Amino acid sequence: MVDQLNWGVLGPGGIARTFARQLPLSRTGRLVAVRSRDAGRAAAFATEFGVARSYGSYEELLADHEVEAVYIATPHPAHPEWVIRAAVAGKHVLCEKPLAVTWAHAMAAVDAARQYDVFLMEAFMYRHHPQLRVLTDLVRDGVLGTVAHVQASFSFATALNPDGRLFAPSLGGGGILDVGGYPVSAARLVAGAARGLPFADPIGVTGAGRIGETGVDEWAVATLDFGAGLVAQVATGVRVAADNTLRVSGSEGYAEVPDPWLPPEGEPGRVVLRLAGAEVREITTPPAAQYALEADSVAEHLADRESPVMSWSDSLGNATVLDRWRQAIGLTYPMERAVPPLPARPRRHDMPTGTLPGIAKPLSRLVMGVDNQRDLTHATVMFDDFVARGGNTFDTAWLYGNGALEPLLGKWIRTNGIRDEVVVIGKGAHTPHCDPESLRRQLAESLDRLDTDHVDLYLMHRDNLDVPVDEFVDVLEEERAAGRLTAYGVSNWTLERVDAAQAYATRQGKAGFAALSNHFSLAEAYALPWDGCEHVTDAASQAWLREHDLALLPWSSQARGFFAGNADDEVARCYHSESNFGRRERARELATELGVPTTAVALAFVLHQPFATFPLIGPRTLEETHGSLRALEVALTPAQVEHLANG
Ligand SMILES: NC(=O)c1ccc[n+]([C@@H]2O[C@H](COP(=O)([O-])OP(=O)(O)OC[C@H]3O[C@@H](n4cnc5c(N)ncnc54)[C@H](OP(=O)(O)O)[C@@H]3O)[C@@H](O)[C@H]2O)c1
C-alpha cells in the first residue's frame, strides 16, 4: 500500500464531482490536477474542490509529473483511448465503467496497462462497499445452501434527451452500457463466490429489450446461464424505474441487498437474510464512502497492477457479457461499424520477413489468421497490433465465418489505405465445392468481400482427387493471368498430388505452386481435426520439403495447444504419444533455459526449418498474439532443432 497517491481527473462531469468529494475521505488519495476540454470548466472544478492545477487539454494533465494516477470519467467511448494514453504516459488508471464500449477495446485497454506496466481498474465502486463482502461471504460459506438464482437490476427513469450521454449512440448511450454492467458484474461475482472463485462467466447469454427512438436500448433484460443449474436474471434501463434490489436465492433461503449500487451515504450497508424456517436477519455494515474505498484499493494494489476487487479478466468477462447482451437485442453503435483507430503506440518489433516466388512484397514470417475475429472492432484491435509489431501477412478464406471474415479484413485494409503494404492470402474451393468452376466463382466473391481486385496468394483450401491436377493448375493460371491473384498454391494436398501438379506446370511453362499450406509443428500428428486435411509432420514429408523448393505455410503450427499443456480429447487424439511427450519435455527444458514459454520454443522450431516456413497463428486475444511473437526471440541452432525433434 502506498501512503499517498496523487490523482488527476479527466472529464470533470457528474461522477467526477462525486469522486472529488469523496477522495478526501480516502486514506491515500489526494486530488492534484483536473482536466476539461474547456479550461474555464477545469478551473471552476479546481476551485470548488481545492485542486492545485487545472488544464484545458488531456495532454497537459498526462504530462504533469505530480499526477501518479488518473481517474477517467469521460463518456464511455473515450475510455480506452485515455486508458492507453495514460498508460503510455506511465500513469496508473482508474477508469469509469464500462472500460470500453466493446470487449475488444476493453482488451486493448488492459493490454496497454500490461505493456506499459501501470495499474488499471474498472471503477465498479459498489464492489468496494463492505455490504458486498457480507453477501459474497454468505454465498461462499454455503449459508444459502446451493445457490440457484441471482436477480439483479439497475434501472432508472430519466427524461429523454437525444443529445445527452444516456441517449446518444455516438456517446455509447443506453442502459446496458451505462448501468447494465452492474447487475451483470454482481451476478458474475456471486456465481464465482458460489464456486469459490473470484468470479464466473456465463456459458449462455440471452436477452431482449427495447431500442428507442435515438437508437439505444431504453430497457433490456438478460438471462445468464452459469451452468450446473445456476442462472441469473438481470435488467437495466434508462427510462424505466425498477426495484434495484440484488437478490441471491439458494436451497436454504435467500439474501437481499436492498441498495446494492448506491447505498445512501452516511447510512449503514444492509444485507437481509431470509433463511427457511428462521427469523429474518439484517446484517449491517458501517457507513462507507465507496468511491474513497475504491481509490484506496488502487493505492493498496498499485504494485500488483490490478485489484482483486475488479481484476482485468473480470472486466473482460463483464465486457463479453455486455457485448452478447447487446447482440441479443440487436444494438450496435456507429463506432463499431467504422472503427476509429485507437492511439498508435510505439512500434515494438520488427518481424523477420521472407519472400515467395512471384510476390514482390516481403511477407512477415508469422501470418495472422483471419478466421476467428468476433467483429470489426476485434479485428481492428488485433490487426493494428500485429502490424505495429511488424506483421503484414494475413490468411483468410471464403469459408471462414460463413463469409463474414473477409469483409472485416477488407474494411480494415481499406480504412487504413494499406493494400500495397499487406499481403493477403485467400483460400477457396473447399470441399464440397472443390472444382475449377467453384474456384473461379469463390475467388470472385472473395475479392468482392475483401474489397480488392487481387489477392497476393491464393490457395486451394482442399483437394478433389476426382479432378486431374492439370485442370486445377489451368484455372489458377488463368486467374493469375487475369491479375486476380499474384501467386497460387494449395492447402491440404498430398505431396504426390503436389508433385504431379508441379510437373504439369513445368511442362506447360506455367508458374506452378508458390506455397503449400499443410499442418506442421514440432509434434507429429497422428490424426487431424478436420476431414480432408493433410499434414507434413512425418519424417518422409519433411525429407520431401528439404528436397523441394516450396515454402510451407503451416497451420496449427503450435499443435492446437499441445505445447501449452492442453490435453482435451481432440489434442489427445491428434498428438498424444511417447515421442511427442518427449518433444514437449525437451521444448520445456529449452524454454526454461531461455526464459520463454514452451509454446514459443515450439513455434521457433517451425521457424528454424531448413525449408522456408511462414507459420500461421490464430490468436483470439492480444495476449495470445504476444505469446506467439515470443518465438521471434528464440534463435535455434540446427543442433537444437534436431535435439527438439529427435532427442
Ligand atoms: N461509478 C459511478 O457511480 C458512475 C456514475 C455515473 C457515471 N459513471 C460513468 O462515468 C462516466 C461519465 O459519466 P458522467 O455521468 O459523469 O458524465 P458527464 O456528467 O456527462 O461528464 C462527462 C465529462 O466528460 C467530458 N467529456 C469528454 N469528452 C466528452 C464528449 N465527447 N461528450 C461529453 N463529455 C465529454 C466532459 O467534460 P469536459 O467537457 O469538461 O471535458 C464531461 O463533463 C461514464 O462512463 C459513466 O458510465 C459512473
Side-chain angles (χ1 to χ4, degrees):
M1 160 81 97
V2 294
D3 294 337
Q4 183 178 302
L5 193 60
N6 292 332
W7 288 87
V9 164
L10 289 183
I15 194 57
R17 302 175 69 77
T18 305
F19 183 78
R21 193 166 44 72
Q22 285 204 2
L23 197 60
L25 304 175
S26 75
R27 282 173 293 142
T28 54
R30 194 166 70 112
L31 193 51
V32 298
V34 57
R35 161 277 158 207
S36 160
R37 290 174 300 176
D38 177 298
R41 246 189 335 262
F45 187 95
T47 306
E48 183 178 348
F49 294 100
V51 182
R53 287 179 299 287
S54 65
Y55 299 112
S57 86
Y58 288 73
E59 288 76 9
E60 284 174 292
L61 185 135
L62 294 182
D64 184 324
H65 293 299
E66 211 196 348
V67 172
E68 296 165 289
V70 294
Y71 171 59
I72 298 174
T74 60
H76 331 319
H79 290 172
E81 172 180 355
W82 291 104
V83 172
I84 292 171
R85 288 194 197 280
V88 172
K91 308 294 186 195
H92 304 294
V93 182
L94 173 65
C95 178
E96 264 310 333
K97 35 53 58 178
L99 199 46
V101 167
T102 59
W103 164 80
H105 273 184
M107 172 177 66
V110 165
D111 181 65
R114 187 182 291 115
Q115 296 291 314
Y116 291 92
D117 196 21
V118 296
F119 180 95
L120 170 66
M121 180 167 71
E122 187 179 22
F124 274 113
M125 76 301 177
Y126 81 97
R127 281 203 177 179
H128 300 266
H129 198 288
Q131 66 180 6
L132 253 285
R133 183 60 193 261
V134 169
L135 178 72
T136 50
D137 282 352
L138 289 173
V139 170
R140 200 168 272 119
D141 296 345
V143 175
L144 303 178
T146 303
V147 174
H149 191 203
V150 183
Q151 270 175 305
S153 67
F154 194 164
S155 187
F156 56 88
T158 190
L160 178 71
N161 167 13
D163 302 324
R165 169 180 94 64
L166 294 176
F167 292 97
S170 64
L171 294 175
I176 292 176
L177 285 192
D178 192 53
V179 283
Y182 288 91
V184 168
S185 65
R188 294 174 55 258
L189 181 73
V190 169
R195 290 164 187 179
L197 300 169
F199 62 85
D201 284 314
I203 51 174
V205 177
T206 50
R210 174 188 145 90
I211 297 180
E213 63 201 74
T214 66
V216 303
D217 59 303
E218 293 187 341
W219 58 84
V221 296
T223 302
L224 316 186
D225 177 1
F226 290 94
L230 178 46
V231 289
Q233 283 170 302
V234 294
T236 191
V238 290
R239 296 200 75 184
V240 179
D243 159 26
N244 291 334
T245 302
L246 166 58
R247 187 175 297 109
V248 181
S249 307
S251 52
E252 304 297 320
Y254 63 98
E256 289 175 319
V257 186
D259 289 301
W261 325 121
L262 294 165
E265 272 183 68
E267 290 182 24
R270 290 193 302 137
V271 178
V272 182
L273 188 57
R274 298 172 192 274
L275 294 181
E279 296 264 301
V280 176
R281 188 153 73 95
E282 183 168 285
I283 307 168
T284 56
T285 61
Q290 53 188 5
Y291 298 88
L293 292 174
E294 178 177 70
D296 281 334
S297 185
V298 177
E300 186 179 351
H301 299 285
L302 207 66
D304 305 327
R305 303 312 192 218
E306 50 185 324
S307 162
V309 180
M310 194 72 205
S311 66
W312 296 349
S313 44
D314 202 343
S315 284
L316 294 176
N318 224 57
T320 295
V321 176
L322 299 189
D323 273 4
R324 294 174 73 182
W325 192 357
R326 284 198 298 119
Q327 196 179 19
I329 68 164
L331 172 62
T332 56
Y333 291 102
M335 52 273 197
E336 295 178 272
R337 297 191 278 274
V339 178
L342 289 172
R345 284 177 268 159
R347 197 174 163 128
R348 295 230 139 191
H349 284 283
D350 273 320
M351 208 178 288
T353 58
T355 54
L356 287 184
I359 302 179
K361 283 179 248 181
L363 287 77
S364 54
R365 288 291 306 282
L366 293 180
V367 177
M368 170 66 78
V370 185
D371 61 345
N372 62 61
Q373 291 71 22
R374 298 182 189 184
D375 50 41
L376 185 59
T377 318
H378 184 201
T380 299
V381 167
M382 298 298 290
F383 301 167
D384 281 352
D385 174 75
F386 183 62
V387 165
R389 286 159 198 279
N392 79 331
T393 304
F394 296 84
D395 171 79
T396 189
W398 181 87
L399 191 79
Y400 290 161
N402 287 324
L405 276 304
E406 288 175 326
L408 299 186
L409 180 63
K411 196 159 188 174
W412 174 78
I413 292 172
R414 171 72 65 182
T415 305
N416 288 287
I418 52 172
R419 180 65 191 90
D420 292 342
E421 284 99 84
V422 296
V423 174
V424 177
I425 302 173
K427 297 194 292 292
H430 192 290
T431 322
H433 305 291
C434 193
D435 57 80
E437 203 35 55
S438 299
L439 189 154
R440 236 183 240 116
R441 178 177 53 77
Q442 290 189 355
L443 173 58
E445 285 174 17
S446 288
L447 295 180
D448 193 42
R449 292 176 188 161
L450 285 161
D451 192 16
T452 184
D453 59 359
H454 74 287
V455 289
D456 299 275
L457 177 66
Y458 194 68
L459 303 174
M460 287 190 55
H461 212 155
R462 291 286 191 275
D463 194 2
N464 178 353
L465 300 181
D466 295 336
V467 178
V469 289
D470 47 352
E471 290 185 30
F472 282 134
V473 173
D474 286 346
V475 68
L476 287 163
E477 192 65 37
E478 252 172 62
E479 295 294 340
R480 190 177 77 88
R484 287 188 283 269
L485 53 88
T486 309
Y488 57 84
V490 287
S491 182
N492 298 308
W493 274 42
T494 64
L495 299 179
E496 295 71 32
R497 288 273 286 182
V498 172
D499 273 333
Q502 294 293 66
Y504 171 75
T506 307
R507 279 199 308 278
Q508 299 290 317
K510 300 181 188 223
F513 298 162
L516 169 69
S517 183
N518 284 8
H519 167 49
F520 179 68
S521 79
L522 171 58
E524 181 168 0
Y526 305 107
L528 289 171
W530 303 285
D531 286 344
C533 285
E534 292 292 333
H535 71 88
V536 284
T537 59
D538 58 300
S541 299
Q542 291 184 47
W544 186 98
L545 286 161
R546 281 193 293 274
E547 284 157 21
H548 293 69
D549 193 16
L550 186 63
L552 182 68
L553 275 60
W555 52 265
S556 292
S557 54
Q558 299 181 81
R560 297 176 67 78
F562 172 71
F563 290 97
N566 179 352
D568 65 28
D569 290 350
E570 199 60 359
V571 167
R573 184 172 78 90
C574 296
Y575 299 109
H576 278 192
S577 75
E578 281 315 309
S579 46
N580 279 343
F581 292 141
R583 291 182 179 112
R584 184 164 69 188
E585 196 43 44
R586 292 192 291 279
R588 261 189 203 140
E589 283 162 15
L590 188 55
T592 308
E593 204 178 294
L594 299 173
V596 296
T598 307
T599 48
V601 169
L603 186 54
F605 171 85
V606 177
L607 285 163
H608 285 81
Q609 291 303 307
F611 43 87
T613 60
F614 297 85
L616 311 180
I617 57 171
R620 265 79 171 153
T621 63
L622 294 171
E623 216 178 349
E624 288 178 7
T625 303
H626 304 157
S628 291
L629 262 59
R630 296 214 59 192
L632 301 173
E633 296 167 27
V634 180
L636 297 176
T637 63
Q640 284 172 315
V641 171
E642 172 57 25
H643 173 71
L644 284 169
N646 300 317

